[in-house]
Amino acid sequence: MAKPLFTVLKVIMLILTAVYPLIMVCLSGAGLVYNGASYGGGMKIVGMLLITSGIIMTSGAILSLFRRNILSVISMICSGSGLVLCLAMLYKVVTHADAAGWADNYTMAPVSDMYQVRILPVIIPAVLAVIIAAVHLASASKKGSDAPAPSILGD
C-alpha cells in the first residue's frame, strides 16, 4: 500500500477513534452509569461495559500504529473484541429503551434511534484499525520471506 495513503488512513482512523469509541461510546456509557439509579442496575452495568468497550477499541487503534507484530496482533484482538462488546451493549440499550418507551422530550423521537446514530459509526475506526494492523503483519511477513534461510547443517 502506498505510504501517503497509509498515513492518511491512520490519521482518519485516529480522528474517528477520538470521536466515536472514545467520546460517543464512553460518554453514552457514562450517562447510563450516572443515571443508573433511575434506569435500573442492569443499565448501570451496560454503561460500564460500554465504557470498557470504548477504551478497548481506542487501545486497539493506538496499538495498530506500531509496526511490531505482537502489537499488531493485540490491536486486532482489542479492536475486534471491543467492537463486539460495544455492539452487544448497544443492542441491550436499544432493546431496553424501546421496551421502556424512552423518547426525546422535545421531538418525541425514540431514544434508541439516537443511540444507534451515535454509536454505530464505531464500526469504521475499528475496521480501519484491524486493516492497518493486518497490513503491518503482512508487510512484516513479506520482509521476513526475503531473508536467507538459516543453515540446517550448522555451518
Side-chain angles (χ1 to χ4, degrees), residues 11-43:
V11 170
I12 290 170
M13 179 204 57
L14 286 175
I15 292 169
L16 291 176
T17 298
V19 172
Y20 291 104
L22 197 56
I23 293 174
M24 292 296 186
V25 173
C26 289
L27 287 180
S28 294
L32 290 171
V33 170
Y34 182 75
N35 296 312
S38 60
Y39 296 156
M43 285 295 103

Side-chain angles (χ1 to χ4, degrees), residues 50-114:
L50 271 174
I51 293 168
T52 303
S53 71
I55 292 169
I56 291 171
M57 285 185 287
T58 302
S59 300
I62 292 169
L63 290 174
S64 74
L65 299 175
F66 302 103
R67 293 187 164 264
R68 305 225 19 215
N69 287 349
I70 188 69
L71 295 180
S72 293
V73 171
I74 294 170
S75 168
M76 294 170 76
I77 292 169
C78 286
S79 296
S81 62
L83 179 63
V84 169
L85 179 61
C86 180
L87 294 178
M89 293 306 105
L90 175 62
Y91 175 77
K92 286 189 151 303
V93 168
V94 166
T95 304
H96 182 80
D98 286 340
W102 293 355
D104 183 272
N105 290 338
Y106 302 107
T107 63
M108 296 309 292
V111 172
S112 60
D113 291 348
M114 176 200 67

Side-chain angles (χ1 to χ4, degrees), residues 125-143:
V127 169
L128 283 175
V130 169
I131 290 170
I132 290 168
V135 168
H136 283 239
L137 283 172
S139 68
S141 68
K142 188 186 293 185
K143 286 179 186 174

